């Protein structure tokens, strides 16, 4: 029997803009902070149509994230490093990727924080020449339209990842610089503790400090302010070394000239992006202007550099992502002899416009071949440059994105952009203008829905729609379209709307197959409701059922097929089974690997998805890292 697809327009889908991006210390994951306080972790795999959305952490929706930094520090945390964010309210948080929590490390300092920047690692494990590091801006920090000048260049170190040296030794405490709205740059130390340790503040200046970045040797700090000045500081002594005045670009409107982003390259060049649409390149030793480009038609919000540090990308309010490259020219010495001098300068290459709205953040990442670590065989293939890897293809099916498969290979850097249209796009960092950008998340923040058919209410079908702060129960009316292959547009009537208490964000929800029970969980507790209607009446009644007090808030919940039990995956990494007739806790599952079956407290990551078999005997539970656990509900094991 073939299923007919039906359409409905009754679900309000408004994905939240992405305000900041950051890449993990091993370059394999991307963190995307959204305006609604949520944070997403993405794995970008070359073989996938879209990126793999690994997990979501629901943070404080009242605190807008202004920047993200992801770095290795101390011995604490996962191998990918520790993830920190600053907020407009002046606080700094750490995002626990194992327990899926947002933890406040620094309470509000009383002024807004615009950007954070972590000092680069100076101590190398060997005496080899240091490999290139990613220096991102702190803002982390017509389907497609192209404009391409000549983009022919070579970068020998382009395919070298920064992360190879990161985990070879224990990384000591790191300094983080914070650009503050009161004109100061505050420096803190990140340690294994759950707090930031205050180190010092640089002298307060006029205007707001909007951007900050470290030199490659961590001896200098560069800050950009709302009065159009870039200042260079001695990071140890706190003295101002020099200041540079940013030239007016193509857009000179407004009382302020805001330096939204700064980027310090390993060669000593400092790049600035400002509100006039200009991207300017400076000598980081003396503050002399090298080149200025005014190709943007609005504020330039963000900058990023390729690992080889010979390509710089900018993006802003006009939706463009622009590439600049370091070019070498031969100039005559002018002394009458046939001698030439080498001159290097940054030139405009071209732009790509994939976003429909402002671009807020850029970052660099290195795709992986699978979600886990590369196998030995894959590593061998990765080391054999110039050889083609044989791909397994399904017969009769063609890849959906031809250009993406041509340039996205494991170990090859890619640029990722995000912004107000809620989308994330990936680009080839090496062949930027040659290939189309790849849409990592075609449907960002999909609305969780559950269709329940043939309920106990005269076989009525219900649609449970989970919004951010309420649940809608909709009655679905399917039109009779005959024997055609496609269904028509279904109509819906709202049965009930349940709002969360105190506007707390809803994490998960579920409805029983009978349609008589449904529930949800926010970050405080889980709630259960009963839906009823008297025979012959059209009015629906909603009553609240009291769940056991010992239940924690949940990452996922599901009803058994007979509707007699509710299963809740708690944030404490346990699975709770509640008998719905007596409303008592019936059993607790603790997910474990087989070899650790006899251990005490939970040690596995939290469960984020659960699925029941149709006969109600088996439960499949999936944690945030993709591990699957199978439980038998009959023998409770």
């Amino acid at each position: 029997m073939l299923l007919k697809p039906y359409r409905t327009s009754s679900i309000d889908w408004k994905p939240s803009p992405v305000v900041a991006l950051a890449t993990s210390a091993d370059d394999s994951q991307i963190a995307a902070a959204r305006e609604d306080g949520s944070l997403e972790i993405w794995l970008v795999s070359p073989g996938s149509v879209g990126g793999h959305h690994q997990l979501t952490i629901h943070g404080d929706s009242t605190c807008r994230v202004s920047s993200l930094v992801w770095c290795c520090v101390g011995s604490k945390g996962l191998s990918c490093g520790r993830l920190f964010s600053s907020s407009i309210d002046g606080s700094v948080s750490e995002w626990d990727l194992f327990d899926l929590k947002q933890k406040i490390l620094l309470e509000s300092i009383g002024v807004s924080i615009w950007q954070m920047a972590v000092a680069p690692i100076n101590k190398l494990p060997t005496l080899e020449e240091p490999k290139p590091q990613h220096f991102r801006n702190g803002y982390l920090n017509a389907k497609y339209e192209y404009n391409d000048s000549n983009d022919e260049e070579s970068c020998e170190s382009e395919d070298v990842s920064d992360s190879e040296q990161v985990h070879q030794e224990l990384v000591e405490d790191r300094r983080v610089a914070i650009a503050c709205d009161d004109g100061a740059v505050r420096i803190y130390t990140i340690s294994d503790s759950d707090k930031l340790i205050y180190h010092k503040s640089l002298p307060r200046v006029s205007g707001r400090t909007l951007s900050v970045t470290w030199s490659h040797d961590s001896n200098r700090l560069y800050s950009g302010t709302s009065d159009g000045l870039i200042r260079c500081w001695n990071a140890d002594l706190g003295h101002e070394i020099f200041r540079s005045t940013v030239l007016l670009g193509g857009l000179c409107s407004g009382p302020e000239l805001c330096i939204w982003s700064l980027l310090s390259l390993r060669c000593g060049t400092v790049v600035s992006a400002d509100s006039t649409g200009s991207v300017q390149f400076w000598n980081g030793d003396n503050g002399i202007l090298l080149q200025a480009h005014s190709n943007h038609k609005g504020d330039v919000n963000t900058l990023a550099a390729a690992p080889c540090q010979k390509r710089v990308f900018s993006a802003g309010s006009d939706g463009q992502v622009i590439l600049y490259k370091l070019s070498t020219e031969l100039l005559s010495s002018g002394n009458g002899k046939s001698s030439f001098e080498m001159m290097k300068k940054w030139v405009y290459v071209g732009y790509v416009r994939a976003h429909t709205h402002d671009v807020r953040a850029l970052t660099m990442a290195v795709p992986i071949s699978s979600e886990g670590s590369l196998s030995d065989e894959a590593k061998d293939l990765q080391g054999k440059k110039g050889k083609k890897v044989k791909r397994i293809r399904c017969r009769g099916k063609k890849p959906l994105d031809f250009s993406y498969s041509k340039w996205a290979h494991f170990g090859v850097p890619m640029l990722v952009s995000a912004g107000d249209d809620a989308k994330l796009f990936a680009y080839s960092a090496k062949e930027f203008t040659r290939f189309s950008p790849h849409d990592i998340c075609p449907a960002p923040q999909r609305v969780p829905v559950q269709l329940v058919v043939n309920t106990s209410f005269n076989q009525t079908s219900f649609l449970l729609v989970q919004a951010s702060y309420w649940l809608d129960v909709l009655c679905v009316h399917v039109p009779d379209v005959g024997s055609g292959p496609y269904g028509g547009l279904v109509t819906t009537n709202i049965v009930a709307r349940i709002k969360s208490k105190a506007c707390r964000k809803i994490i998960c929800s579920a409805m029983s197959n009978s349609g008589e029970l449904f529930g949800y969980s926010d970050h405080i507790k889980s709630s259960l409701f009963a839906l009823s209607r008297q025979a012959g009446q059209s009015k629906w009644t909603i009553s609240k059922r009291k769940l056991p007090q010992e239940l924690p808030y949940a990452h996922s919940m599901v009803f058994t097929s007979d509707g007699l039990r509710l299963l809740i995956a708690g944030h404490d990494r346990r699975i709770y089974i509640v008998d719905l007739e007596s409303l008592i806790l019936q059993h607790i599952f603790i997910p474990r690997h087989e070899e650790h079956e006899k251990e005490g407290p939970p040690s596995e990551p939290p469960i984020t998805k659960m699925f029941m078999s149709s006969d109600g005997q088996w439960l499949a539970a999936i944690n945030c890292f993709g591990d699957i656990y199978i439980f038998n509900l009959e023998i409770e094991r």
Side-chain angles (χ1 to χ4, degrees):
M1 178 180 176
L2 296 177
L3 297 178
K4 291 183 180 181
Y6 291 86
R7 294 178 293 111
T8 179
S9 58
S10 57
I11 298 176
D12 188 18
W13 176 46
K14 292 182 179 179
S16 179
V18 178
V19 295
L21 291 174
T23 306
S24 62
D26 59 5
D27 294 330
S28 64
Q29 296 167 288
I30 298 170
R34 295 190 179 271
E35 198 174 69
D36 63 359
S38 63
L39 181 129
E40 300 170 355
I41 302 297
W42 291 82
L43 295 174
V44 183
S45 178
S48 62
V49 175
H52 172 59
H53 180 198
Q54 186 179 18
L55 58 90
T56 296
I57 302 176
H58 298 280
D60 187 352
S61 60
T62 62
C63 300
R64 171 167 171 162
V65 171
S66 57
S67 68
L68 290 172
V69 292
W70 204 341
C71 62
C72 283
V73 55
S75 58
K76 183 179 178 181
L78 303 172
S79 60
C80 59
R82 297 171 65 186
L83 179 60
F84 305 91
S85 68
S86 62
S87 298
I88 295 297
D89 70 348
S91 63
V92 176
S93 301
E94 179 176 5
W95 299 81
D96 190 328
L97 304 184
F98 191 84
D99 289 329
L100 306 185
K101 294 180 181 178
Q102 178 186 10
K103 300 183 295 185
I104 302 295
L105 298 188
L106 179 67
E107 297 292 342
S108 178
I109 59 176
V111 294
S112 295
I113 298 175
W114 288 98
Q115 249 183 38
M116 290 195 304
V118 175
I121 302 174
N122 288 325
K123 188 176 179 182
L124 298 177
T126 66
L127 297 177
E128 297 176 1
E129 182 180 352
K131 294 192 170 92
Q133 282 189 309
H134 294 169
F135 292 89
R136 302 173 198 88
N137 68 92
Y139 218 55
L140 319 166
N141 242 309
K143 186 171 183 181
Y144 303 117
E145 182 179 346
Y146 297 94
N147 180 281
D148 183 13
S149 356
N150 189 19
D151 187 17
E152 296 178 359
E153 62 196 285
S154 63
C155 188
E156 295 179 359
S157 60
E158 183 73 34
D159 297 339
V160 179
S161 171
D162 303 351
S163 60
E164 296 177 22
Q165 67 191 31
V166 173
H167 302 295
Q168 295 185 21
E169 65 171 34
L170 181 67
V171 181
E172 297 180 354
D173 295 350
R174 305 279 294 275
R175 289 180 295 172
V176 57
I178 297 175
C180 303
D181 196 69
D182 61 357
V185 174
R186 293 171 172 85
I187 301 176
Y188 291 82
T189 300
I190 307 174
S191 65
D192 275 347
S193 66
D194 288 335
K195 290 186 179 180
L196 293 183
I197 303 172
Y198 176 77
H199 182 60
K200 69 167 64 175
S201 292
L202 301 182
R204 188 174 299 178
V205 300
S206 60
R208 299 170 292 150
T209 301
L210 303 173
S211 53
V212 64
T213 190
W214 294 82
S215 63
H216 70 282
D217 57 7
S218 302
N219 292 328
R220 292 185 176 189
L221 268 170
Y222 301 93
S223 63
T225 53
S226 59
D227 56 3
L229 292 177
I230 300 173
R231 292 175 171 85
C232 176
W233 305 87
N234 185 305
D236 295 323
L237 302 178
H239 297 162
E240 182 179 322
I241 300 175
F242 63 81
R243 66 179 68 175
S244 302
T245 303
V246 173
L247 301 176
L248 292 177
L251 303 173
C252 303
S253 60
E256 295 181 320
L257 199 164
C258 297
I259 313 297
W260 290 122
S261 184
L262 289 174
L263 189 66
S264 178
L265 304 179
R266 192 174 59 254
C267 63
T269 300
V270 175
V271 191
S272 66
D274 60 58
S275 58
T276 69
S278 295
V279 175
Q280 302 182 22
F281 295 82
W282 308 82
N283 186 318
D285 294 329
N286 51 32
I288 295 176
L289 179 65
L290 303 177
Q291 277 92 37
H293 298 276
S294 299
N295 302 104
H296 284 281
K297 300 178 178 62
D299 291 42
V300 187
N301 298 322
T302 178
L303 298 167
C308 67
Q309 305 267 294
K310 294 181 180 179
R311 291 186 183 93
V312 169
F313 303 90
S314 65
S317 60
D318 57 0
Q320 294 185 105
V321 180
I322 293 179
L323 168 63
Y324 310 89
K325 72 173 182 178
L326 185 60
S327 176
T328 302
E329 294 183 358
L330 288 176
L331 298 178
S332 175
S333 60
N335 54 9
K337 299 179 181 180
S338 57
S339 60
F340 296 89
E341 295 181 354
M342 300 287 290
M343 180 180 178
K344 293 185 177 182
K345 65 178 182 177
W346 290 90
V347 298
Y348 167 83
V349 176
Y351 74 86
V352 175
R353 183 185 281 118
H355 291 274
T356 58
H357 295 73
D358 298 23
V359 181
R360 295 291 178 186
L362 295 173
T363 192
M364 298 295 302
V366 178
I368 58 175
S369 62
S370 62
E371 293 175 23
S373 14
L374 294 174
S375 63
D376 293 336
E377 182 181 356
K379 289 179 179 178
D380 292 339
L381 290 172
Q382 186 177 12
K384 297 176 182 178
K385 292 186 177 180
K387 290 190 176 182
K388 293 184 178 180
V389 180
K390 187 177 180 181
R391 296 186 178 93
I392 301 175
R393 299 183 183 273
C394 298
R395 291 185 177 180
K397 292 184 179 180
K398 295 182 178 180
L400 295 179
D401 191 338
F402 293 93
S403 64
Y404 184 62
S405 62
K406 289 180 180 179
W407 63 262
H409 306 293
F410 54 84
V412 179
M414 65 166 56
L415 175 73
V416 178
S417 66
D420 286 355
D421 60 2
K423 304 295 284 293
L424 282 82
F425 286 97
Y427 314 76
S428 170
K430 190 174 182 180
E431 299 175 288
F432 175 69
T433 56
R434 181 179 176 185
F435 296 111
S436 301
H438 178 66
D439 193 347
I440 294 178
C441 56
Q445 290 190 312
R446 298 179 184 179
V447 179
V449 296
Q450 180 185 352
L451 179 63
V452 180
V453 297
N454 301 328
T455 66
S456 59
F457 301 102
N458 296 326
Q459 304 296 303
T460 302
S461 296
F462 287 149
L463 188 66
L464 181 69
V465 182
Q466 177 187 315
S468 295
Y469 305 105
W470 65 81
L471 287 181
D472 281 341
V473 180
L474 304 178
C475 182
V476 180
H477 304 282
V478 179
D480 184 9
V481 293
S483 58
Y486 299 103
L489 182 67
V490 301
T491 58
T492 59
N493 296 325
I494 187 164
V495 172
R497 170 169 288 186
I498 304 296
K499 296 183 178 180
S500 62
K501 188 175 182 180
C503 289
R504 296 195 292 254
K505 192 167 186 180
I506 296 176
I507 300 174
C508 61
S509 60
M511 191 174 211
S512 65
N513 287 340
S514 66
E516 297 176 348
L517 296 171
F518 65 95
Y520 75 88
S521 179
D522 53 37
H523 65 276
I524 300 297
K525 67 175 184 177
S526 300
S527 300
L528 179 66
F529 301 89
L531 179 65
S532 61
R533 183 175 65 176
Q534 296 293 332
Q537 295 186 4
S538 59
K539 185 178 180 181
W540 295 90
T541 302
I542 304 294
S543 59
K544 190 171 184 180
R545 306 282 296 275
K546 190 174 182 181
L547 290 170
Q549 292 185 352
E550 60 266 34
L551 288 179
Y553 75 83
H555 290 301
S556 179
M557 60 171 52
V558 65
F559 290 88
T560 55
S561 55
D562 56 11
L564 298 179
R565 288 176 289 183
L566 172 65
L567 284 75
I568 290 177
H571 73 90
D572 58 356
R573 294 173 281 179
R574 293 178 170 89
I575 298 176
Y576 297 83
I577 303 178
V578 179
D579 183 272
L580 295 176
E581 291 184 350
S582 60
L583 291 178
I584 62 173
L585 185 59
Q586 187 181 71
H587 188 71
I588 299 177
F589 284 129
I590 299 180
R592 302 187 190 282
H593 281 89
E594 192 172 345
E595 62 269 23
H596 301 145
E597 221 171 312
K598 294 183 180 180
E599 291 186 5
S603 58
E604 299 294 307
I607 299 296
T608 55
K609 297 287 184 183
M610 293 192 298
F611 301 92
M612 286 294 307
S613 63
S614 58
D615 59 4
Q617 181 180 357
W618 301 97
L619 168 70
I622 309 172
N623 68 24
C624 59
F625 294 105
D627 299 318
I628 301 176
Y629 310 89
I630 305 297
F631 299 94
N632 190 315
L633 296 186
E634 286 188 359
I635 62 176
E636 296 183 341
R637 181 178 178 183

